[in-house]
Coordinates of all heavy atoms in Angstrom, one line a residue:
F64 N 13.6 18.0 -17.9 CA 12.5 17.3 -18.6 C 11.3 17.1 -17.7 O 10.1 17.3 -18.2 CB 13.0 15.9 -19.0 CG 12.0 15.2 -19.8 CD1 11.7 15.4 -21.2 CD2 11.2 14.2 -19.2 CE1 10.8 14.7 -21.9 CE2 10.2 13.5 -19.9 CZ 10.0 13.8 -21.2
Q68 N 7.7 18.6 -19.0 CA 6.5 17.8 -19.3 C 5.4 18.1 -18.3 O 4.2 18.0 -18.7 CB 6.9 16.3 -19.3 CG 7.5 15.7 -18.0 CD 6.4 15.3 -17.1 OE1 5.2 15.1 -17.5 NE2 6.7 15.1 -15.8
S140 N 5.6 9.6 -33.8 CA 6.1 8.7 -32.7 C 5.4 9.1 -31.5 O 5.1 10.2 -31.1 CB 7.6 9.0 -32.5 OG 8.1 8.3 -31.4
V141 N 5.0 8.0 -30.7 CA 4.3 8.2 -29.5 C 5.2 8.1 -28.3 O 4.7 8.1 -27.1 CB 3.1 7.1 -29.4 CG1 3.7 5.8 -29.0 CG2 2.1 7.6 -28.4
Y142 N 6.5 8.0 -28.5 CA 7.5 7.8 -27.5 C 8.2 9.1 -27.3 O 8.3 9.9 -28.2 CB 8.4 6.7 -27.7 CG 7.7 5.3 -27.8 CD1 7.4 4.7 -29.0 CD2 7.4 4.7 -26.6 CE1 6.8 3.5 -29.0 CE2 6.8 3.4 -26.6 CZ 6.5 2.8 -27.8 OH 5.8 1.6 -27.8
G143 N 8.8 9.3 -26.1 CA 9.4 10.5 -25.8 C 8.5 11.6 -25.2 O 7.4 11.2 -24.6
L144 N 8.8 12.8 -25.4 CA 8.0 13.9 -24.8 C 6.6 13.9 -25.3 O 5.6 14.1 -24.6 CB 8.7 15.3 -25.1 CG 7.9 16.5 -24.6 CD1 7.8 16.5 -23.1 CD2 8.6 17.8 -25.1
S145 N 6.4 13.7 -26.6 CA 5.1 13.7 -27.2 C 4.2 12.6 -26.6 O 3.0 12.8 -26.3 CB 5.2 13.5 -28.7 OG 5.8 12.3 -29.1
G146 N 4.8 11.4 -26.4 CA 4.0 10.3 -25.8 C 3.6 10.6 -24.4 O 2.5 10.3 -24.0
V147 N 4.6 11.1 -23.6 CA 4.3 11.4 -22.2 C 3.2 12.5 -22.1 O 2.3 12.4 -21.3 CB 5.6 11.9 -21.5 CG1 5.3 12.4 -20.1 CG2 6.6 10.8 -21.5
L148 N 3.3 13.6 -22.9 CA 2.3 14.6 -22.9 C 0.9 14.1 -23.3 O -0.1 14.4 -22.7 CB 2.7 15.8 -23.9 CG 3.9 16.6 -23.5 CD1 4.1 17.7 -24.5 CD2 3.6 17.3 -22.1
L149 N 0.9 13.2 -24.4 CA -0.4 12.6 -24.8 C -1.0 11.8 -23.7 O -2.3 12.0 -23.5 CB -0.1 11.7 -26.0 CG -1.3 11.1 -26.7 CD1 -2.1 12.1 -27.4 CD2 -0.9 10.0 -27.7
A150 N -0.3 11.0 -23.0 CA -0.9 10.2 -21.9 C -1.3 11.1 -20.8 O -2.4 10.9 -20.2 CB 0.2 9.2 -21.5
V218 N 3.7 6.0 -16.7 CA 3.6 6.6 -18.0 C 5.0 6.8 -18.6 O 5.2 6.5 -19.8 CB 2.8 8.0 -18.0 CG1 3.0 8.7 -19.3 CG2 1.3 7.7 -17.7
V219 N 5.9 7.4 -17.8 CA 7.2 7.7 -18.3 C 8.0 6.4 -18.5 O 8.8 6.2 -19.4 CB 8.0 8.6 -17.3 CG1 9.4 8.9 -17.9 CG2 7.2 9.9 -17.1
T221 N 6.8 3.5 -19.5 CA 6.4 2.8 -20.7 C 6.5 3.6 -22.0 O 6.7 3.1 -23.1 CB 4.9 2.3 -20.5 OG1 4.1 3.4 -20.2 CG2 4.8 1.2 -19.5
L222 N 6.3 5.0 -21.9 CA 6.3 5.8 -23.1 C 7.5 6.8 -23.1 O 7.6 7.6 -24.1 CB 5.0 6.6 -23.1 CG 3.7 5.8 -23.3 CD1 2.5 6.7 -23.2 CD2 3.7 5.0 -24.6
G223 N 8.4 6.7 -22.2 CA 9.5 7.7 -22.2 C 10.4 7.5 -23.4 O 10.8 8.5 -24.0
G224 N 10.7 6.3 -23.7 CA 11.5 6.1 -24.9 C 13.0 6.2 -24.8 O 13.7 6.1 -25.8
G225 N 13.6 6.5 -23.7 CA 15.0 6.5 -23.6 C 15.5 7.6 -22.5 O 14.7 8.2 -21.9
K227 N 16.7 10.5 -22.8 CA 16.3 11.9 -23.0 C 15.0 12.2 -22.4 O 14.6 13.4 -22.2 CB 16.3 12.2 -24.5 CG 17.7 12.2 -25.2 CD 17.5 12.6 -26.7 CE 18.9 12.6 -27.3 NZ 18.8 13.0 -28.7
A228 N 14.2 11.2 -22.1 CA 12.8 11.4 -21.5 C 12.8 10.8 -20.1 O 11.8 10.2 -19.8 CB 11.8 10.8 -22.4
T229 N 13.8 11.1 -19.4 CA 13.9 10.6 -18.0 C 13.4 11.7 -17.0 O 13.9 12.8 -17.1 CB 15.3 10.1 -17.6 OG1 15.7 9.0 -18.5 CG2 15.4 9.7 -16.2

Side-chain angles (χ1 to χ4, degrees):
F64 181 81
Q68 62 86 18
S140 174
V141 76
Y142 295 99
L144 178 61
S145 58
V147 173
L148 290 179
L149 183 71
V218 168
V219 184
T221 52
L222 296 177
K227 292 183 178 180
T229 297

